[in-house]
């Protein structure tokens, strides 16, 4: 009874120890297979299947502002390690080996170097990571150069799905368009129709504003813009914007800002005595419980509003309860969305290599963008990548930040799922394509017979 | 014998004849009872298939919503129905995790067994001696000897195991792993894992054909039914029913010629010819919402589905392949089996 004596927990500890060594040691030993050898045969041989994860994690050496991003990076690192442990066990059951190699990289330049090292020296067949546009572009570039798939798990920027789209890049993270459509869908249906936008004085900020307006006025009829104000995130003095909000008297203030600027704004908004509900753009950091706690502490009233998230640690259906519980057991904390994204991204890549039967980059791209390729990501509906821009279709969630929470566990309460996917009679793609940019609005045209954009 | 006495004898004889006739009608075939688990109600509904009415409701959880009855199994003689009961605390085995035995004739709970944490579904061995449970939170399956009360062993499975089936010869136990998309094969004689097989995305239920020559596995996200050859433990065919179907429950007619697949996503039941593996019909009209569990009566005349979102059981007439009745049951009706009254 040798198999029965190997309990799951013991197996996880063993794999966990290996994963821990990879992370802590950062000693990347050279594979016997040289970098110039094709990876095609790996899925069919005893060579380990390796996935490289590049995230900003807590090194203690970075500036305070960068540390906020590392909240999401640290969670992603934990999710990736757990995925390596669990799916490594599954691979072992199927007489294969799966290894997840994690590299900490606090800047785009460091991420590029780490990714190149993972590809060239460690022979990873795919990359996962990215929590800012520069890093996502750097990893995307490495992926195209090396012809290995890259799964973006933290960059929502629509530009990455449009003008900057690349053949080997796939977006697990929801797009800005998806988040804005989901927010519009939810709030407008709730009768919260007059929106005031606060945007950053950057190209990205203006792009978010334009897409927010489109979401409000074109995709979800009935919503209207009550006004907008442009602010500088590096000079957090928001007096003029606050005055404009007071004059506009909106139903909702929408902060299309980075996570740190959202906190700065919330503090001044609360101090100004304004009471219109506030939500913020859900970039990866702004979806974490660390952010929720900071928002609530900074602005007890305005910081405890509704927010869109990719995942919620209290989700119960479709195996979410079990996954959340395993993460809690493994790390002693709630599974933040970026942890979940890393876990699922590793799972998708493992499944792609298994079902496609190859680790060849071009073949994997074809598999990932094929219309009949679906994945289970614990959301109760089969998800797939849009062929034209490689964006994963998936549901999003709305949570309410709990102003009376006593622990991280009850900091957020699930309030809704967007879009609603329980109605019979529609295909998963039809349901999920209710949010985000469709092919007719996309500047990217993969999967249509052309070689790309 | 006077006229009154003659009349009394005749009436008595008539009553006896009628009673005999009535009894004979009842004895013409075994009497069935349909059992449906209500996940969020903490109960099991008992349906009389003669009238298709609920005749009893058995409480198996004193904490409805927290302690959930889900998967059902039935002993080979049909006399005992087993209910998988799990608490709402994953990763922890509590007294509320277990398998409850219900006597079909009396509709009473007659026993409870500990078979590891969070048992979601179960299967009974063909000799009726073993229970096999999928321990969802522990990524393992547990075998249990009903007579001795001993745990035969716990075996690592895929992640989030759910469906369990024992082959008709009692040799193989198949366990699906929802997250790993696998079926784990356990040798029930040697008590060891012999293989893991990849199937469709998010496999839920596995059943064997009566002759043991095939196993069928539903995949919720993949929308497929994988056909496995148990002699090699290999997938030999995949029936694709569509990713919007969200397939869960599977049931075969007694002659094995038709496979019924419950599609929670389309609120329908697919009828598949097991020879050609073609879809004969998709039954949609009057179906309850989100059918998951499904069972065929031993005489093959009716199919029952457990409908989680309409808290009901739908009844399908297998001769017309139409829904003939919907029966209100309890909150979150999850699974359904047919027991036999001796």
């Amino acid at each position: 009874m040798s198999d029965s004596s190997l309990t799951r927990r013991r197996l996880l500890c063993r794999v966990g120890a290996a994963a821990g060594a990879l992370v802590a040691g950062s000693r990347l030993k050279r594979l016997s297979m040289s970098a110039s050898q094709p990876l095609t045969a790996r899925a069919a041989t005893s060579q380990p299947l390796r996935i490289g994860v590049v995230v900003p994690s807590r090194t203690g050496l970075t500036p305070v502002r960068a540390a906020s991003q590392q909240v999401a990076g640290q969670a992603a690192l934990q999710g990736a390690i757990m995925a390596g442990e669990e799916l490594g066990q599954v691979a072992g059951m199927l007489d294969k080996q799966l290894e997840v190699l994690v590299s900490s990289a606090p800047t785009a330049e460091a991420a590029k170097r780490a990714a190149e090292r993972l590809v060239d020296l460690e022979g990873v067949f795919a990359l996962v990571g990215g929590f800012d546009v520069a890093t996502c572009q750097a990893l995307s570039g490495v992926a195209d150069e090396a012809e290995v798939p890259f799964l973006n798990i933290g960059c929502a920027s629509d530009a990455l799905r449009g003008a900057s789209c690349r053949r080997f890049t796939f977006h697990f993270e929801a797009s800005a368009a998806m988040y804005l459509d989901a927010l519009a869908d939810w709030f407008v249906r709730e009768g919260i129709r007059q929106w005031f936008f606060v945007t950053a004085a950057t190209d990205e900020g203006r792009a978010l504003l334009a897409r927010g307006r489109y979401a409000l006025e074109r995709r979800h009829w009935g919503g209207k813009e009550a006004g907008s104000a442009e602010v500088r995130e590096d000079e957090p003095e928001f007096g003029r914007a606050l005055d404009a909000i007071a004059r506009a008297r909106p139903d909702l203030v929408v902060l299309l800002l980075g996570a740190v600027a959202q906190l700065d704004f919330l503090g001044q908004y609360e101090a100004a005595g304004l009471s219109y509900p506030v939500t913020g753009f859900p970039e990866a950091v702004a979806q974490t419980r660390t952010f929720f706690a900071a928002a609530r502490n900074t602005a007890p009233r305005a910081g405890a509003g509704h927010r869109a998230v990719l995942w919620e640690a209290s989700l119960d259906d479709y195996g979410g309860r079990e996954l959340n519980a395993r993460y809690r057991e493994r790390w002693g904390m709630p599974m933040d969305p970026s942890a979940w994204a890393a876990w699922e991204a590793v799972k998708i890549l493992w499944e792609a290599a298994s079902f496609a039967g190859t680790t060849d980059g071009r073949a994997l791209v074809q598999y990932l963008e094929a219309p009949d390729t679906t994945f289970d990501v614990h959301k109760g509906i089969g998800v797939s990548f849009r062929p034209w821009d490689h964006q994963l279709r998936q549901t999003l969630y709305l949570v309410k930040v709990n102003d009376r929470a006593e622990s991280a566990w009850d900091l957020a309460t699930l309030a809704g799922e967007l879009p609603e996917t329980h109605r019979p009679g529609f295909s998963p793609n039809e349901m999920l394509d209710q949010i985000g940019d469709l092919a007719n609005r996309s500047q990217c045209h993969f999967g249509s017979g052309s070689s790309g954009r | 014998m006077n006229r009154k006495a003659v009349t009394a004898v005749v009436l008595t004889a008539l009553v006896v004849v009628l009673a005999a006739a009535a009894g004979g009608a009842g004895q013409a075939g075994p009497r069935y009872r349909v059992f449906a688990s209500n996940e969020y109600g903490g109960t099991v509904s008992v349906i009389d298939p003669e009238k298709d009415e609920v005749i009893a409701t058995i409480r198996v959880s004193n904490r409805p919503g927290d302690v959930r009855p889900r998967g059902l199994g039935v002993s080979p003689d049909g006399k005992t129905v087993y209910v998988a009961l799990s608490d709402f605390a994953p990763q922890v085995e509590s007294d509320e995790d277990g398998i409850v035995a219900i006597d079909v004739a009396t509709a009473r709970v007659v026993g409870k067994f500990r078979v590891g944490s969070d048992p979601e579904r179960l299967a009974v061995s063909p000799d009726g001696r073993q229970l096999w449970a999928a321990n969802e939170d522990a990524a393992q399956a547990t075998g249990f000897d009903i007579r001795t009360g001993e745990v035969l062993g716990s075996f690592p499975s895929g992640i989030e195991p759910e469906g369990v089936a024992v082959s008709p010869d009692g040799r193989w136990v198949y366990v699906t792993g929802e997250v790993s998309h696998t079926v784990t094969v356990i040798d029930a004689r040697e008590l060891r894992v012999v293989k893991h097989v990849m199937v469709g995305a998010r496999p839920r239920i596995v059943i064997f054909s009566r002759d043991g020559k095939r196993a069928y596995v539903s995949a919720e996200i993949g929308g497929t039914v994988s056909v496995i050859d148990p002699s090699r433990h290999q997938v030999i065919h995949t029936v694709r029913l569509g990713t919007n179907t969200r397939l869960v429950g599977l049931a075969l007619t007694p002659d094995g010629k038709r496979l019924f697949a419950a599609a929670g996503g389309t609120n329908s039941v697919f009828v598949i010819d097991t020879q050609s593996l073609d879809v004969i019909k998709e039954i949609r009209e009057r179906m309850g919402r989100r059918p998951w569990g499904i069972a065929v009566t031993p005489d093959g005349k009716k199919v029952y589905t457990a409908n989680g979102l309409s808290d009901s059981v739908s009844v399908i007439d297998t001769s017309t392949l139409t829904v003939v009745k919907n029966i209100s049951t309890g909150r979150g009706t999850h699974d359904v089996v047919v027991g036999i009254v001796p």
Side-chain angles (χ1 to χ4, degrees), chain B residues 91-175:
Chain B
Q91 309 298 105
V92 180
E93 183 179 352
S94 75
D95 291 342
E96 292 172 315
D97 288 321
I99 289 180
V100 168
I102 295 173
D103 178 63
V104 170
T106 61
R108 289 187 173 169
V109 173
V110 293
K112 185 174 180 182
F113 311 109
R114 291 285 290 266
V115 286
S117 68
D118 203 18
E120 181 168 3
R121 291 189 188 273
L122 67 107
V124 189
S125 62
D127 61 8
R129 294 179 177 177
Q130 297 174 351
L131 286 177
W132 287 86
N135 304 114
E136 185 180 19
D137 65 356
Q140 66 184 27
T142 299
F144 179 85
D145 189 310
I146 297 172
R147 289 184 310 172
T148 65
E150 291 179 359
V151 171
L152 300 168
S154 295
F155 305 89
S157 68
I159 302 173
E160 293 176 27
E162 175 164 350
V164 196
V166 184
S167 62
D169 63 2
R171 179 71 187 273
W172 310 113
V173 179
Y174 278 18
V175 185

Side-chain angles (χ1 to χ4, degrees), chain A residues 33-237:
Chain A
M33 174 187 280
S34 76
S36 60
Q37 283 182 292
L39 298 173
T40 314
R42 283 203 166 200
T45 71
S46 59
Q47 292 279 7
L49 305 178
R50 291 184 165 174
I51 296 169
V53 178
V54 182
V55 292
S57 59
R58 287 176 183 144
T59 62
L61 301 173
T62 54
V64 172
R65 189 168 286 268
S68 68
Q69 191 192 78
Q70 292 177 3
V71 170
Q74 180 68 24
L77 182 146
Q78 293 175 180
I81 289 174
M82 189 171 117
E85 294 167 353
E86 295 194 336
L87 300 170
Q89 182 185 352
V90 171
M93 289 174 168
L94 298 166
D95 296 326
K96 294 178 182 175
Q97 295 178 62
L98 175 69
E99 293 177 358
V100 175
L101 309 185
V102 182
S103 180
S104 176
T107 65
E109 294 74 22
K112 182 174 185 293
R113 288 194 300 273
E116 288 171 344
R117 200 166 60 240
L118 286 166
V119 172
D120 293 340
L121 301 183
E122 296 298 326
V124 300
F125 75 86
L127 293 166
V128 174
F131 283 99
D132 63 88
V133 172
T135 300
C136 275
Q137 284 180 327
L139 294 173
S140 186
V142 173
D144 258 33
E145 185 73 23
E147 298 197 345
V148 297
F150 160 54
L151 258 63
N152 156 29
I153 58 170
C155 296
S157 170
D158 286 331
L160 294 170
R161 286 89 173 155
S164 302
C165 70
R166 288 180 189 262
R167 183 80 196 167
F168 284 81
T169 296
F170 289 79
H171 306 281
F172 186 91
E173 164 69 303
S175 65
M178 289 168 67
Y179 282 125
L180 291 166
D181 282 346
L183 286 170
D185 186 357
W186 173 269
F187 282 109
V188 171
R189 275 196 288 121
E190 292 293 304
I192 299 170
R193 299 171 178 232
Q194 304 284 329
W195 289 23
F196 191 100
F197 293 105
V198 180
T199 59
T202 61
D203 289 345
E204 184 67 25
R206 291 173 192 122
L208 282 177
L209 175 62
R211 190 55 182 79
R213 286 169 169 162
Y214 180 83
L216 203 58
E217 296 167 3
R218 301 287 294 277
R219 287 214 78 170
H220 299 278
W221 297 345
K224 291 193 181 306
E225 181 181 345
S228 67
E230 196 171 86
V231 300
R232 291 189 59 173
E233 291 182 301
D234 56 348
E235 292 180 10
E237 203 294 302

Side-chain angles (χ1 to χ4, degrees), chain A residues 314-335:
Chain A
S314 62
L315 274 167
D316 201 59
D317 291 334
Y318 318 123
R321 184 173 69 105
E322 283 72 24
L323 179 59
N324 280 324
R326 294 202 304 276
Y327 189 87
R328 178 178 186 160
E329 183 183 67
R330 178 65 178 85
W331 299 107
M333 60 180 67
M335 190 175 208

Side-chain angles (χ1 to χ4, degrees), chain B:
Chain B
M1 189 180 289
N2 61 29
R3 188 170 177 165
K4 276 188 178 178
V6 169
T7 304
V9 168
V10 170
L11 285 174
T12 302
L14 187 60
V15 168
V16 169
V17 168
L18 287 173
Q27 289 164 4
R31 288 189 298 147
Y32 305 134
R33 291 285 183 266
V34 178
F35 289 74
S37 58
N38 302 307
E39 180 177 3
Y40 298 110
T43 58
V44 174
S45 300
V46 186
I47 296 167
D48 178 356
E50 295 276 319
K51 299 176 180 176
D52 281 329
E53 292 176 351
V54 173
I55 57 170
T57 301
I58 307 164
R59 177 154 297 285
V60 291
S61 161
N62 291 321
R63 292 200 300 130
D66 290 330
V67 179
R68 303 175 293 167
R70 292 188 286 178
L72 298 173
V74 61
S75 61
D77 61 9
K79 295 178 181 176
T80 308
V81 162
Y82 296 95
V83 187
L85 204 59
S86 55
D87 65 20
F88 231 117
Q91 309 298 105
V92 180
E93 183 179 352
S94 75
D95 291 342
E96 292 172 315
D97 288 321
I99 289 180
V100 168
I102 295 173
D103 178 63
V104 170
T106 61
R108 289 187 173 169
V109 173
V110 293
K112 185 174 180 182
F113 311 109
R114 291 285 290 266
V115 286
S117 68
D118 203 18
E120 181 168 3
R121 291 189 188 273
L122 67 107
V124 189
S125 62
D127 61 8
R129 294 179 177 177
Q130 297 174 351
L131 286 177
W132 287 86
N135 304 114
E136 185 180 19
D137 65 356
Q140 66 184 27
T142 299
F144 179 85
D145 189 310
I146 297 172
R147 289 184 310 172
T148 65
E150 291 179 359
V151 171
L152 300 168
S154 295
F155 305 89
S157 68
I159 302 173
E160 293 176 27
E162 175 164 350
V164 196
V166 184
S167 62
D169 63 2
R171 179 71 187 273
W172 310 113
V173 179
Y174 278 18
V175 185
T176 65
E178 288 180 279
V179 172
S180 48
H181 316 313
T182 50
V183 168
T184 294
V185 182
I186 301 168
D187 186 327
R189 287 186 200 155
E190 298 186 13
L191 295 175
R192 65 186 184 90
V193 173
V194 295
K195 194 173 183 181
H196 305 271
V197 187
M198 284 196 90
V199 288
R202 200 170 184 83
R204 298 292 300 268
I205 298 299
V206 55
I207 61 171
F208 281 93
S209 61
R210 282 197 172 184
D211 61 10
K213 292 182 178 176
R214 281 183 176 182
Y216 300 93
V217 184
S218 62
E220 183 182 6
I221 296 298
T224 59
V225 176
S226 298
V227 184
I228 294 178
D229 175 357
S231 68
R232 294 177 292 157
H233 309 304
Q234 280 184 0
V235 175
I236 55 172
H237 196 89
T238 301
V239 183
R240 300 183 187 282
L241 297 175
T243 52
N244 57 336
T245 55
R246 301 191 202 179
L247 299 176
V248 178
L250 297 173
L252 283 161
T253 50
D255 62 9
K257 291 182 177 177
R258 285 182 173 178
L259 175 70
F260 292 87
T266 44
N267 294 340
S268 63
V269 168
F270 286 87
V271 187
I272 299 165
D273 182 311
T274 55
Q275 189 69 34
S276 65
L277 295 177
D278 291 334
V279 174
I280 297 169
K281 184 175 181 181
E282 183 185 3
I283 305 167
R284 280 178 180 255
E285 197 172 342
R286 295 188 68 195
M287 274 298 307
R289 288 179 64 84
R290 207 199 70 186
W292 270 6
I294 191 164
V296 183
T297 54
D299 61 11
K301 293 180 178 176
K302 289 182 178 178
V303 172
Y304 292 83
T305 65
N307 312 316
L309 295 184
S310 52
D311 303 338
S312 66
V313 165
S314 294
V315 187
I316 296 169
D317 181 329
T318 55
S319 64
T320 61
L321 295 180
T322 56
V323 175
V324 293
K325 190 168 184 179
N326 279 290
I327 307 164
S328 290
T329 44
R331 281 280 294 116
T333 307
H334 188 94
D335 199 7
V336 62
V337 292
V338 181
I340 300 173
V341 179

Side-chain angles (χ1 to χ4, degrees), chain A residues 331-364:
Chain A
W331 299 107
M333 60 180 67
M335 190 175 208
D336 271 334
S338 46
W340 171 79
W343 193 93
E344 297 286 0
V346 170
K347 177 169 173 280
I348 281 177
L349 290 167
W350 152 249
E351 287 177 17
S354 299
F355 285 116
T358 180
T359 50
D360 175 73
R362 287 177 178 271
L364 284 175

